[in-house]
Amino acid sequence: MFVVFTADDAIQSYTLDSVNQFLAHRKNPNGCSPKMTYYTSLNYTNYTLVTDWYVAGNEIADHTMTHVGSPPADEINGNLIALNSLAGIPMSAIKGFRAPFLNYSRETLELLYKAQFLYDSSASSAIPVTDPNTDCYWPYTMDYGMANNCLDVPGTCRGEPKLPGMWELPMAAFFDKRGTSGVHLMDPWLDTANGETAVNDTATLEYMKATFTDHYNGNRQPIGIFTHPIHLSTTYPGVASPDSTIKMLNAFLDWAQEQKDVWIVSNEQLLDYVRHPVPLSQLDSVAALKCASPQIDANTKICNGIPQNEEGLLSHCQFSDFPFYTCYGCPEVLPTTDNPNPPQQVPDGQNARFRLPANCSTAFWDPIQGQCSCTSDTCAFTDNSRPIGPNGANLTGGGIGGSFGASPSTTSYIPFNSVPPRFSPGVGNAFAVGVLGAVIGALGVINRF
Ligand SMILES: [Zn+2]
């Protein structure tokens, strides 16, 4: 059975620390450390940590630029553009979307389809798997419309909207003793259980185990740990550590991993399995579930999302609202929906940094030299363009900021033959990632959804 682990909102050192305390010490049945999905919004995000988290094998997905529900196209597409230019995430790697506040409309789904997202994960189930009318489905395509939240979202369901090939990964809820009256979706540990008046970690653990067991003994629909990791951070300035709740969630995951054939995965790993299912006996061989670190010498000095390689090479972008670090050169102004890829601010005496081009993967790209350090087929990579520019123009990575798709004439990287992108990037141990970023100050915005 799959346990999906996701996080939402800004990526900062203390949110990655928070995720690491649940995942970094674990192993899946194939010996790999579990990966997760981070639905990333941009306010307060430290871009270099997005790069690191991605290169470590985790999924980076879209949660709009400024965290708005029922978002317009520029909120969705601008997130993709900014994460590509300032965090070096390939266009093709940002496959998934979750709506802030889980607030989506029919138009949201249609915008995702236009921008060539592979899946949405904003819908939720509200009927337990033990009910014959459960809406806790395995991921499904929207060839024949939506099948969740039908009463809440006008113009969806009964076959609408038809979005062939785009997937919905409905979020499975937990249920306490009250059943459908006691539904718990995101951060269930912040809720009171069973109609009680105070949060009780023991009661939370009990119903999380009970719901897991219902899934496990039934059709094994994936269950989800859907977090806002800032609520479980021990390093967030000025907030007491929620130690009891952290122990509770680790106890749940310990217990879940004691059950046979339980895997903790990202949504992209889950979806890759669903699209290419194999018998249980062959799960170890599923490429998306494997782990392989990019083969880069630890002594190589290259700003590539691997802490040991990029040490001392980051640009510090000193914006007063939320300063951040990046490998790819600071923008003159913070990205906005009107201008998601501002021109680069080049320090005196330095050259502009080169953004990730379409023919090199993040770990192998040297943004300072403008070179791809990959010289073999095993690390070859080809990104896709996406129709996310003005009036649906196709955009690709590369350039130095200020525009897309225009490679500067000075680049000297080695082009590759076109090969399909690997589904999962090389995977290292996520453990070292969270400690790199500077604490940005007590600026974070806490969102419940
Ligand atoms: Zn959010």
mmCIF file of all heavy atoms in Angstrom, residues 124-140 147-148 170-175 211 215 219-224 226:
data_model
loop_
_atom_site.group_PDB
_atom_site.id
_atom_site.type_symbol
_atom_site.label_atom_id
_atom_site.label_comp_id
_atom_site.label_asym_id
_atom_site.label_seq_id
_atom_site.Cartn_x
_atom_site.Cartn_y
_atom_site.Cartn_z
ATOM 1 N N SER A 124 -10.869 16.143 -2.884
ATOM 2 C CA SER A 124 -10.754 15.303 -1.698
ATOM 3 C C SER A 124 -11.896 14.308 -1.631
ATOM 4 O O SER A 124 -12.955 14.509 -2.226
ATOM 5 C CB SER A 124 -10.743 16.168 -0.438
ATOM 6 O OG SER A 124 -11.847 17.042 -0.434
ATOM 7 N N SER A 125 -11.667 13.242 -0.889
ATOM 8 C CA SER A 125 -12.719 12.265 -0.645
ATOM 9 C C SER A 125 -13.322 12.541 0.724
ATOM 10 O O SER A 125 -12.640 13.062 1.606
ATOM 11 C CB SER A 125 -12.163 10.850 -0.695
ATOM 12 O OG SER A 125 -11.252 10.640 0.362
ATOM 13 N N ALA A 126 -14.579 12.228 0.875
ATOM 14 C CA ALA A 126 -15.265 12.520 2.136
ATOM 15 C C ALA A 126 -16.103 11.345 2.629
ATOM 16 O O ALA A 126 -16.832 11.465 3.610
ATOM 17 C CB ALA A 126 -16.154 13.748 1.969
ATOM 18 N N ILE A 127 -16.003 10.209 1.919
ATOM 19 C CA ILE A 127 -16.767 9.016 2.314
ATOM 20 C C ILE A 127 -15.766 7.877 2.529
ATOM 21 O O ILE A 127 -14.951 7.588 1.652
ATOM 22 C CB ILE A 127 -17.789 8.627 1.229
ATOM 23 C CG1 ILE A 127 -18.706 9.819 0.915
ATOM 24 C CG2 ILE A 127 -18.612 7.418 1.661
ATOM 25 C CD1 ILE A 127 -19.592 9.593 -0.305
ATOM 26 N N PRO A 128 -15.812 7.240 3.685
ATOM 27 C CA PRO A 128 -14.805 6.220 4.006
ATOM 28 C C PRO A 128 -14.790 5.053 3.009
ATOM 29 O O PRO A 128 -15.809 4.747 2.369
ATOM 30 C CB PRO A 128 -15.221 5.717 5.397
ATOM 31 C CG PRO A 128 -16.101 6.776 5.966
ATOM 32 C CD PRO A 128 -16.764 7.444 4.806
ATOM 33 N N VAL A 129 -13.637 4.405 2.906
ATOM 34 C CA VAL A 129 -13.506 3.277 1.970
ATOM 35 C C VAL A 129 -14.378 2.093 2.362
ATOM 36 O O VAL A 129 -14.646 1.219 1.535
ATOM 37 C CB VAL A 129 -12.041 2.799 1.849
ATOM 38 C CG1 VAL A 129 -11.184 3.869 1.203
ATOM 39 C CG2 VAL A 129 -11.470 2.390 3.199
ATOM 40 N N THR A 130 -14.831 2.055 3.614
ATOM 41 C CA THR A 130 -15.690 0.950 4.046
ATOM 42 C C THR A 130 -17.130 1.129 3.589
ATOM 43 O O THR A 130 -17.934 0.211 3.684
ATOM 44 C CB THR A 130 -15.661 0.853 5.584
ATOM 45 O OG1 THR A 130 -15.810 2.176 6.118
ATOM 46 C CG2 THR A 130 -14.345 0.263 6.061
ATOM 47 N N ASP A 131 -17.454 2.320 3.094
ATOM 48 C CA ASP A 131 -18.800 2.582 2.571
ATOM 49 C C ASP A 131 -18.838 2.173 1.105
ATOM 50 O O ASP A 131 -17.958 2.552 0.333
ATOM 51 C CB ASP A 131 -19.090 4.082 2.711
ATOM 52 C CG ASP A 131 -20.537 4.438 2.379
ATOM 53 O OD1 ASP A 131 -21.042 3.962 1.327
ATOM 54 O OD2 ASP A 131 -21.154 5.197 3.153
ATOM 55 N N PRO A 132 -19.868 1.412 0.694
ATOM 56 C CA PRO A 132 -19.923 0.989 -0.719
ATOM 57 C C PRO A 132 -19.968 2.177 -1.688
ATOM 58 O O PRO A 132 -19.610 2.036 -2.849
ATOM 59 C CB PRO A 132 -21.207 0.157 -0.819
ATOM 60 C CG PRO A 132 -21.795 0.107 0.536
ATOM 61 C CD PRO A 132 -20.954 0.867 1.504
ATOM 62 N N ASN A 133 -20.403 3.326 -1.206
ATOM 63 C CA ASN A 133 -20.450 4.516 -2.069
ATOM 64 C C ASN A 133 -19.235 5.428 -1.875
ATOM 65 O O ASN A 133 -19.308 6.630 -2.126
ATOM 66 C CB ASN A 133 -21.717 5.323 -1.774
ATOM 67 C CG ASN A 133 -22.955 4.532 -2.161
ATOM 68 O OD1 ASN A 133 -22.987 3.929 -3.226
ATOM 69 N ND2 ASN A 133 -23.932 4.506 -1.266
ATOM 70 N N THR A 134 -18.144 4.847 -1.443
ATOM 71 C CA THR A 134 -16.957 5.677 -1.165
ATOM 72 C C THR A 134 -16.548 6.481 -2.393
ATOM 73 O O THR A 134 -16.682 6.023 -3.529
ATOM 74 C CB THR A 134 -15.765 4.801 -0.699
ATOM 75 O OG1 THR A 134 -14.685 5.670 -0.345
ATOM 76 C CG2 THR A 134 -15.289 3.866 -1.797
ATOM 77 N N ASP A 135 -16.044 7.710 -2.125
ATOM 78 C CA ASP A 135 -15.445 8.503 -3.205
ATOM 79 C C ASP A 135 -13.938 8.568 -3.028
ATOM 80 O O ASP A 135 -13.283 9.464 -3.547
ATOM 81 C CB ASP A 135 -16.051 9.912 -3.237
ATOM 82 C CG ASP A 135 -15.839 10.671 -1.929
ATOM 83 O OD1 ASP A 135 -15.379 10.055 -0.942
ATOM 84 O OD2 ASP A 135 -16.134 11.880 -1.892
ATOM 85 N N CYS A 136 -13.403 7.613 -2.278
ATOM 86 C CA CYS A 136 -11.945 7.537 -2.132
ATOM 87 C C CYS A 136 -11.402 6.658 -3.260
ATOM 88 O O CYS A 136 -11.274 5.444 -3.114
ATOM 89 C CB CYS A 136 -11.594 6.967 -0.761
ATOM 90 S SG CYS A 136 -9.817 7.004 -0.460
ATOM 91 N N TYR A 137 -11.129 7.306 -4.389
ATOM 92 C CA TYR A 137 -10.715 6.573 -5.575
ATOM 93 C C TYR A 137 -9.203 6.527 -5.695
ATOM 94 O O TYR A 137 -8.503 7.419 -5.214
ATOM 95 C CB TYR A 137 -11.268 7.254 -6.839
ATOM 96 C CG TYR A 137 -12.755 7.459 -6.813
ATOM 97 C CD1 TYR A 137 -13.287 8.747 -6.868
ATOM 98 C CD2 TYR A 137 -13.635 6.384 -6.732
ATOM 99 C CE1 TYR A 137 -14.658 8.961 -6.844
ATOM 100 C CE2 TYR A 137 -15.006 6.586 -6.708
ATOM 101 C CZ TYR A 137 -15.503 7.876 -6.760
ATOM 102 O OH TYR A 137 -16.861 8.075 -6.723
ATOM 103 N N TRP A 138 -8.725 5.528 -6.392
ATOM 104 C CA TRP A 138 -7.358 5.567 -6.898
ATOM 105 C C TRP A 138 -7.280 6.726 -7.904
ATOM 106 O O TRP A 138 -8.314 7.198 -8.404
ATOM 107 C CB TRP A 138 -7.017 4.249 -7.612
ATOM 108 C CG TRP A 138 -6.611 3.148 -6.681
ATOM 109 C CD1 TRP A 138 -7.441 2.347 -5.942
ATOM 110 C CD2 TRP A 138 -5.273 2.720 -6.392
ATOM 111 N NE1 TRP A 138 -6.693 1.457 -5.207
ATOM 112 C CE2 TRP A 138 -5.359 1.666 -5.471
ATOM 113 C CE3 TRP A 138 -4.011 3.133 -6.823
ATOM 114 C CZ2 TRP A 138 -4.225 1.013 -4.958
ATOM 115 C CZ3 TRP A 138 -2.886 2.481 -6.325
ATOM 116 C CH2 TRP A 138 -2.999 1.438 -5.405
ATOM 117 N N PRO A 139 -6.074 7.217 -8.223
ATOM 118 C CA PRO A 139 -5.964 8.275 -9.244
ATOM 119 C C PRO A 139 -6.693 7.874 -10.524
ATOM 120 O O PRO A 139 -6.671 6.703 -10.911
ATOM 121 C CB PRO A 139 -4.450 8.360 -9.481
ATOM 122 C CG PRO A 139 -3.840 7.931 -8.180
ATOM 123 C CD PRO A 139 -4.747 6.841 -7.669
ATOM 124 N N TYR A 140 -7.346 8.866 -11.139
ATOM 125 C CA TYR A 140 -8.092 8.580 -12.372
ATOM 126 C C TYR A 140 -7.873 9.715 -13.370
ATOM 127 O O TYR A 140 -7.565 10.854 -12.990
ATOM 128 C CB TYR A 140 -9.582 8.399 -12.068
ATOM 129 C CG TYR A 140 -10.259 9.554 -11.362
ATOM 130 C CD1 TYR A 140 -10.866 10.587 -12.083
ATOM 131 C CD2 TYR A 140 -10.306 9.623 -9.967
ATOM 132 C CE1 TYR A 140 -11.490 11.645 -11.435
ATOM 133 C CE2 TYR A 140 -10.925 10.669 -9.310
ATOM 134 C CZ TYR A 140 -11.522 11.684 -10.050
ATOM 135 O OH TYR A 140 -12.142 12.721 -9.407
ATOM 136 N N ALA A 147 -14.783 13.248 -10.476
ATOM 137 C CA ALA A 147 -15.673 12.370 -9.707
ATOM 138 C C ALA A 147 -15.628 12.686 -8.211
ATOM 139 O O ALA A 147 -16.152 11.925 -7.412
ATOM 140 C CB ALA A 147 -15.296 10.913 -9.951
ATOM 141 N N ASN A 148 -15.002 13.805 -7.855
ATOM 142 C CA ASN A 148 -14.926 14.193 -6.439
ATOM 143 C C ASN A 148 -15.441 15.623 -6.264
ATOM 144 O O ASN A 148 -15.422 16.415 -7.205
ATOM 145 C CB ASN A 148 -13.485 14.124 -5.932
ATOM 146 C CG ASN A 148 -12.991 12.696 -5.800
ATOM 147 O OD1 ASN A 148 -12.499 12.117 -6.762
ATOM 148 N ND2 ASN A 148 -13.154 12.118 -4.622
ATOM 149 N N PRO A 170 -7.177 12.279 -6.012
ATOM 150 C CA PRO A 170 -7.993 12.791 -4.896
ATOM 151 C C PRO A 170 -7.296 12.540 -3.569
ATOM 152 O O PRO A 170 -6.616 11.532 -3.381
ATOM 153 C CB PRO A 170 -9.300 11.997 -5.014
ATOM 154 C CG PRO A 170 -8.969 10.800 -5.823
ATOM 155 C CD PRO A 170 -7.789 11.139 -6.679
ATOM 156 N N MET A 171 -7.457 13.485 -2.673
ATOM 157 C CA MET A 171 -6.821 13.390 -1.354
ATOM 158 C C MET A 171 -7.701 12.557 -0.437
ATOM 159 O O MET A 171 -8.861 12.909 -0.184
ATOM 160 C CB MET A 171 -6.626 14.799 -0.781
ATOM 161 C CG MET A 171 -5.764 15.683 -1.670
ATOM 162 S SD MET A 171 -5.835 17.427 -1.196
ATOM 163 C CE MET A 171 -4.886 17.409 0.330
ATOM 164 N N ALA A 172 -7.152 11.467 0.070
ATOM 165 C CA ALA A 172 -7.911 10.587 0.958
ATOM 166 C C ALA A 172 -7.950 11.184 2.355
ATOM 167 O O ALA A 172 -6.934 11.642 2.866
ATOM 168 C CB ALA A 172 -7.253 9.212 1.012
ATOM 169 N N ALA A 173 -9.116 11.175 2.950
ATOM 170 C CA ALA A 173 -9.266 11.725 4.301
ATOM 171 C C ALA A 173 -9.150 10.621 5.347
ATOM 172 O O ALA A 173 -9.310 9.436 5.050
ATOM 173 C CB ALA A 173 -10.622 12.409 4.429
ATOM 174 N N PHE A 174 -8.853 11.027 6.578
ATOM 175 C CA PHE A 174 -8.974 10.144 7.735
ATOM 176 C C PHE A 174 -10.340 10.392 8.377
ATOM 177 O O PHE A 174 -10.916 11.476 8.258
ATOM 178 C CB PHE A 174 -7.879 10.446 8.768
ATOM 179 C CG PHE A 174 -6.497 10.064 8.319
ATOM 180 C CD1 PHE A 174 -5.645 11.013 7.757
ATOM 181 C CD2 PHE A 174 -6.039 8.763 8.459
ATOM 182 C CE1 PHE A 174 -4.359 10.666 7.357
ATOM 183 C CE2 PHE A 174 -4.757 8.405 8.049
ATOM 184 C CZ PHE A 174 -3.914 9.356 7.497
ATOM 185 N N PHE A 175 -10.823 9.372 9.072
ATOM 186 C CA PHE A 175 -12.125 9.485 9.743
ATOM 187 C C PHE A 175 -11.988 9.034 11.184
ATOM 188 O O PHE A 175 -11.424 7.966 11.458
ATOM 189 C CB PHE A 175 -13.164 8.613 9.023
ATOM 190 C CG PHE A 175 -13.392 9.054 7.604
ATOM 191 C CD1 PHE A 175 -12.622 8.523 6.568
ATOM 192 C CD2 PHE A 175 -14.341 10.012 7.301
ATOM 193 C CE1 PHE A 175 -12.809 8.937 5.256
ATOM 194 C CE2 PHE A 175 -14.533 10.431 5.996
ATOM 195 C CZ PHE A 175 -13.764 9.897 4.972
ATOM 196 N N THR A 211 -8.123 4.266 10.019
ATOM 197 C CA THR A 211 -8.417 4.544 8.613
ATOM 198 C C THR A 211 -7.412 3.830 7.710
ATOM 199 O O THR A 211 -7.777 3.261 6.677
ATOM 200 C CB THR A 211 -8.407 6.060 8.349
ATOM 201 O OG1 THR A 211 -9.308 6.712 9.247
ATOM 202 C CG2 THR A 211 -8.814 6.369 6.908
ATOM 203 N N HIS A 215 -8.145 0.980 4.668
ATOM 204 C CA HIS A 215 -7.590 0.980 3.313
ATOM 205 C C HIS A 215 -6.808 -0.309 3.057
ATOM 206 O O HIS A 215 -6.943 -0.936 2.008
ATOM 207 C CB HIS A 215 -6.645 2.189 3.127
ATOM 208 C CG HIS A 215 -7.325 3.503 2.961
ATOM 209 N ND1 HIS A 215 -7.099 4.324 1.883
ATOM 210 C CD2 HIS A 215 -8.239 4.155 3.735
ATOM 211 C CE1 HIS A 215 -7.825 5.425 1.999
ATOM 212 N NE2 HIS A 215 -8.513 5.353 3.123
ATOM 213 N N ASN A 219 -9.354 -2.113 -0.704
ATOM 214 C CA ASN A 219 -8.777 -1.974 -2.048
ATOM 215 C C ASN A 219 -7.455 -1.208 -2.066
ATOM 216 O O ASN A 219 -6.951 -0.886 -3.126
ATOM 217 C CB ASN A 219 -9.775 -1.283 -2.975
ATOM 218 C CG ASN A 219 -10.916 -2.202 -3.335
ATOM 219 O OD1 ASN A 219 -10.724 -3.414 -3.408
ATOM 220 N ND2 ASN A 219 -12.103 -1.642 -3.540
ATOM 221 N N ARG A 220 -6.953 -0.924 -0.896
ATOM 222 C CA ARG A 220 -5.633 -0.283 -0.759
ATOM 223 C C ARG A 220 -5.518 1.019 -1.545
ATOM 224 O O ARG A 220 -4.483 1.320 -2.143
ATOM 225 C CB ARG A 220 -4.511 -1.261 -1.131
ATOM 226 C CG ARG A 220 -4.479 -2.455 -0.202
ATOM 227 C CD ARG A 220 -3.143 -3.147 -0.140
ATOM 228 N NE ARG A 220 -3.171 -4.147 0.930
ATOM 229 C CZ ARG A 220 -2.156 -4.921 1.270
ATOM 230 N NH1 ARG A 220 -1.001 -4.818 0.627
ATOM 231 N NH2 ARG A 220 -2.270 -5.777 2.255
ATOM 232 N N GLN A 221 -6.596 1.799 -1.540
ATOM 233 C CA GLN A 221 -6.461 3.157 -2.065
ATOM 234 C C GLN A 221 -5.352 3.848 -1.274
ATOM 235 O O GLN A 221 -5.275 3.694 -0.048
ATOM 236 C CB GLN A 221 -7.769 3.940 -1.881
ATOM 237 C CG GLN A 221 -8.941 3.408 -2.676
ATOM 238 C CD GLN A 221 -9.807 2.483 -1.853
ATOM 239 O OE1 GLN A 221 -9.310 1.746 -1.001
ATOM 240 N NE2 GLN A 221 -11.093 2.512 -2.106
ATOM 241 N N PRO A 222 -4.501 4.620 -1.951
ATOM 242 C CA PRO A 222 -3.417 5.300 -1.243
ATOM 243 C C PRO A 222 -3.974 6.197 -0.133
ATOM 244 O O PRO A 222 -5.034 6.804 -0.292
ATOM 245 C CB PRO A 222 -2.765 6.149 -2.341
ATOM 246 C CG PRO A 222 -3.143 5.469 -3.618
ATOM 247 C CD PRO A 222 -4.494 4.869 -3.389
ATOM 248 N N ILE A 223 -3.237 6.249 0.958
ATOM 249 C CA ILE A 223 -3.607 7.162 2.029
ATOM 250 C C ILE A 223 -2.582 8.285 2.026
ATOM 251 O O ILE A 223 -1.505 8.119 1.460
ATOM 252 C CB ILE A 223 -3.688 6.406 3.375
ATOM 253 C CG1 ILE A 223 -4.725 7.052 4.263
ATOM 254 C CG2 ILE A 223 -2.326 6.303 4.054
ATOM 255 C CD1 ILE A 223 -5.211 6.149 5.351
ATOM 256 N N GLY A 224 -2.941 9.435 2.576
ATOM 257 C CA GLY A 224 -2.037 10.576 2.453
ATOM 258 C C GLY A 224 -1.719 11.244 3.768
ATOM 259 O O GLY A 224 -2.596 11.420 4.614
ATOM 260 N N PHE A 226 -0.876 14.699 4.504
ATOM 261 C CA PHE A 226 -0.911 15.994 3.819
ATOM 262 C C PHE A 226 -0.582 17.089 4.831
ATOM 263 O O PHE A 226 -1.412 17.416 5.676
ATOM 264 C CB PHE A 226 -2.290 16.226 3.215
ATOM 265 C CG PHE A 226 -2.733 15.120 2.293
ATOM 266 C CD1 PHE A 226 -3.953 14.482 2.485
ATOM 267 C CD2 PHE A 226 -1.944 14.710 1.216
ATOM 268 C CE1 PHE A 226 -4.371 13.466 1.643
ATOM 269 C CE2 PHE A 226 -2.351 13.699 0.367
ATOM 270 C CZ PHE A 226 -3.569 13.074 0.582
#
